[in-house]
Amino acid sequence: MAALLARYAECIFWLARYMERAENLARILDVNETFARDSYGATNWVTILRLNADEQRFFELYPTASAKNVLNFYILDQQNPTSIAAAIASARENARQLRPLISTEMWTQINMFHNRLQGLGPNDIAPQNLQRICAMIKESCQTHTGITEGTFFRDQGWYFYGLGRNLERADQTTRLLDIKYHTLLPSPRDIGTPVDISQWHSLLRSAAGYHAFRRVYPRGLTPAGVAGFLLFNDNFPRSVLVCTREVDNLLNRLNSKYRLRRGTVPMERSDELLGNLASNTIEAVISGGLHEYLDALQISFSKLTNDIAQVFFLADQPVPQPT
Amino acid sequence: MSGTGNGVEHLLSAYDANGYYDELFGIKAKPAAHTQGVRDRLRQLDFDDLRRRAADAERELYNLGITFLVYSDAKAVDRILPFDVIPRIISAKEWAHVDAGVQQRIAALNLFLHDVYHDQKILKDGIIPAELVLGNANYREQMRGIDLPFNTYIQIMGVDLVRDHDGTFRVLEDNARVPSGVSYVVENRHMMQRAFPDLMGDIGIRSVDNYGMKLLEAMCEIAPPQPDGGDGDPQVVLLSPGSYNSAYFEHIFLAREMGVPLVEGRDLVVENDKVYMKTTGGLRRVDSIYRRIGDDFLDPLAFNPDSMLGVPGIFEAYRKGNVALANAIGTGVADDKAVYAYVPRMIKYYLGEEAIIPNVETHICREPEALKYTLDNLDKLVVKPVGEAGGYGITIGPRASKAELDDCRAKLLADPANYISQPTIPLSVCPTLTEDGIEPRHVDLRPFAITARNTWVLPGGLTRVALKKGTLIVNSSQGGGSKDTWVLTGGPADEEETPSLVADPFQSQSQQ
């Protein structure tokens, strides 16, 4: 069985994460026009900044959280490491290092996507063009996903790609829920109002989950129902449970098929996480505090990432000094 | 649309090579009959169409990321190597000559290196001044007495050839350290196959596709024997300085073509004088390394202690025969511009033959007579520093200003041993697509050879073209581009049998 260079595993893991991250950010920006309107109809872009804990860095660069500034910060700004342009630049740099491993088609598409983003100017991301540009970004990310599915060789690298994509996706879903938590709590009087309901609709739409949700819950939409769906649904491809199960499967396969025995450390953590998710209910989560639960999940994902880095990317391996 | 004024025909009729040897037309005394077929097809093209296809080809190179990094104003920019769509064509007979000449040269240089790092007979016999070799910055005393598989030091070589006014090939320079450019040979061919299938069909062009396979074969041949008598393939890797190196695309290309990991220094460790790479499953033994890192940076313990790119301890592993390196350490002493002048004598000394491809006449400025001649004829000569690559630091006498000549003179007097001089060669030209139509531009040729048990020369090589009107410097760092290089098979085009279709295939199912 061909060995996989630890650095390649790391690059492929992060390539998947950055592409997934860019797609999720585009989804969020896309629906934010409705998503972040409060009961007075004003668009509040600060919530987006909270989503990624970016407020401090943002206000160091921009005076106000206007639509124009926030969109620039998140789409084009190379100084912002969480911007889509920066994510795709990082994805491309990883892909460049991975060129001996990935297909030429994967590389070419990422390279062209990156070049296209580099060519965008302020007018391209003006609010009236936002929908179009977000659609382009989403579609480019999905094209990447499709090309990868159809052309990427299914050896170890494929597993690390899957780990990155699913971990990022799970993490993004918790963040998406968390932002809604933030918009809800400060003014409890809004709960259950038409604005509130439309916001939960938007939240589902940004996760491409509106129709799926309707199929599962045709007769009503409750905030708890939406949160439960995004966390625990067994079949929705962006639910935390589905993503975590996929991560757990991949870690198991790496361990059994490729005999990567060091992988037991992250596997144990993902087993535990999966057990927790599979046995939990949204009622229990809400009574214990949704925000706290989401926080704990994000911490688990981060620890899982560290475990993976240590055992597979050999992040902890000290370089031996020859005598 | 395509009136007569827009045809390539019209442009080629008006084409004038200005007295230089022309790769497409030859010269009056020696017309290039072998290019007839390609010329006929070129003439049928519409010029606008040719331009459009050329622009598409360049865009595609950019999209494919077939680029190199250029550092200017502290910024790194991705550039493509400009690609000219009019091919450079070499007849089967011409190629047989080049092939033999390159094989002879690499054989002599390998014998020279083995001698220099063992008995040093050639120095004792006074064929080459000892201080030129032993005092050379690229001589590695650490290599003395080390035996290498097949006594081969240079596994990968590129020889820069030029053609003078009557079409004679001459060696301008040897590249025996880390010759680059072979990736463009293959990518240019692929590009031509996509963009100009109509130009190539039935011409009979020798393939360049198996370079990676030949390289891997050589890397496996020089690998140390498997310790347990195992039958597994040796683990070959390509060692690159990293993604910020300007030739990174080529490193990727070669790793892909060989199907081996592209590693950086940080991916390798040495334990008990054996080299390992870090994999997801732990450390894994590495047997054979195509390194694209200079000697200096290879091992901070043995060479430059400040190098962050290399692998500490790798030299000791190499010395003990636990890992193969290509090219060997210390080959730089063979492709030095000052040593170059002695290569014809080297060929005679080791092989008892005359050089099949002659050198360009060269004056070694460390020798008083040559220095005097150079100083007296500065305005007619090209003066080159011996340690530089990439066309840097060259003074072209006939084109230099008075101030530049004075500056060159001062440098020569201060450090004559650092320079050689050569007459300006009227480099051959090739029709090239330019802003102003199809014009002659100067070209050179870098064939690539691979040596382990045997030597193999890639049919063709990199044709570099000086895109700027009148200039003779073809280096990519100096605004040069490249062309596809076609070596003709000579006979009628190889007929490949088309596999007959399966007699009665099932149709794909569709939704009813």
Side-chain angles (χ1 to χ4, degrees), chain A residues 53-305:
Chain A
D54 280 334
E55 284 168 281
Q56 194 188 339
R57 279 189 313 105
F58 176 85
F59 287 111
E60 279 167 11
L61 295 168
Y62 300 86
T64 56
S66 64
K68 186 174 162 235
N69 286 346
V70 173
L71 289 173
N72 191 63
F73 181 71
Y74 274 124
I75 300 179
L76 300 185
D77 197 340
Q78 291 282 355
Q79 284 178 281
N80 171 21
T82 60
S83 74
I84 289 172
I88 297 305
S90 300
R92 177 179 180 266
E93 194 44 45
N94 280 297
R96 209 157 92 85
Q97 296 196 38
L98 285 164
R99 285 202 56 194
L101 199 69
I102 63 177
S103 68
T104 299
E105 290 164 43
M106 281 173 75
W107 158 252
T108 307
Q109 191 262 342
I110 294 171
N111 191 41
M112 289 173 72
F113 181 24
H114 172 258
N115 291 342
R116 190 161 175 193
L117 282 177
Q118 296 296 307
L120 293 181
N123 188 47
D124 295 303
I125 57 160
Q128 68 273 18
N129 296 324
L130 182 63
Q131 206 274 327
R132 190 156 28 129
I133 213 71
C134 286
M136 182 278 279
I137 293 165
K138 270 193 296 184
E139 205 172 301
S140 298
C141 292
Q142 289 168 336
T143 302
H144 160 78
T145 308
I147 291 174
T148 303
E149 199 278 333
T151 66
F152 188 36
F153 196 65
R154 305 282 171 102
D155 61 1
Q156 274 191 58
W158 172 258
Y159 291 78
F160 285 100
Y161 181 87
L163 284 176
R165 186 164 79 188
N166 284 287
L167 264 173
E168 182 68 25
R169 194 179 276 179
D171 185 68
Q172 290 291 339
T173 299
T174 63
R175 287 173 195 276
L176 196 63
L177 261 178
D178 213 13
I179 186 185
K180 187 55 189 159
Y181 159 86
H182 276 292
T183 56
L184 268 180
L185 279 223
S187 49
R189 64 192 165 88
D190 285 344
I191 295 179
T193 65
V195 167
D196 181 54
I197 295 301
S198 87
Q199 285 184 7
W200 285 95
H201 277 182
S202 303
L203 184 129
L204 277 170
R205 283 185 206 282
S206 69
Y210 179 74
H211 292 287
F213 181 84
R214 278 283 173 237
R215 281 172 59 193
V216 181
Y217 301 100
R219 301 199 46 202
L221 182 149
T222 64
V226 175
F229 179 80
L230 291 176
L231 284 172
F232 302 128
N233 186 276
D234 231 1
N235 304 304
F236 180 56
R238 315 189 86 80
S239 84
V240 175
L241 177 68
V242 166
C243 295
T244 306
R245 174 172 297 133
E246 193 57 32
V247 166
D248 195 55
N249 277 339
L250 291 163
L251 286 168
N252 271 295
R253 293 293 299 281
L254 280 172
N255 193 282
S256 58
K257 186 173 175 189
Y258 293 97
R259 309 191 182 287
L260 301 185
R261 297 296 181 218
R262 283 163 61 96
T264 45
V265 178
M267 210 170 67
E268 275 162 21
R269 194 186 293 281
S270 82
D271 279 346
E272 192 188 319
L273 187 57
L274 184 62
N276 172 296
L277 286 164
S279 63
N280 220 327
T281 65
I282 190 60
E283 291 74 22
V285 165
I286 287 174
S287 75
L290 176 63
H291 174 65
E292 287 71 16
Y293 184 71
L294 296 172
D295 250 7
L297 282 178
Q298 284 165 19
I299 289 167
S300 296
F301 297 143
S302 150
K303 283 184 174 162
L304 193 47
T305 299

Side-chain angles (χ1 to χ4, degrees), chain B residues 140-151:
Chain B
R140 302 275 176 250
E141 178 62 26
Q142 296 98 319
M143 287 296 292
R144 267 311 275 284
I146 298 181
D147 290 320
L148 298 178
F150 317 110
N151 291 333

Side-chain angles (χ1 to χ4, degrees), chain B residues 102-113:
Chain B
V102 170
Q103 300 229 21
Q104 180 196 50
R105 199 161 178 106
I106 193 169
L109 290 177
N110 272 318
L111 287 165
F112 169 69
L113 284 164

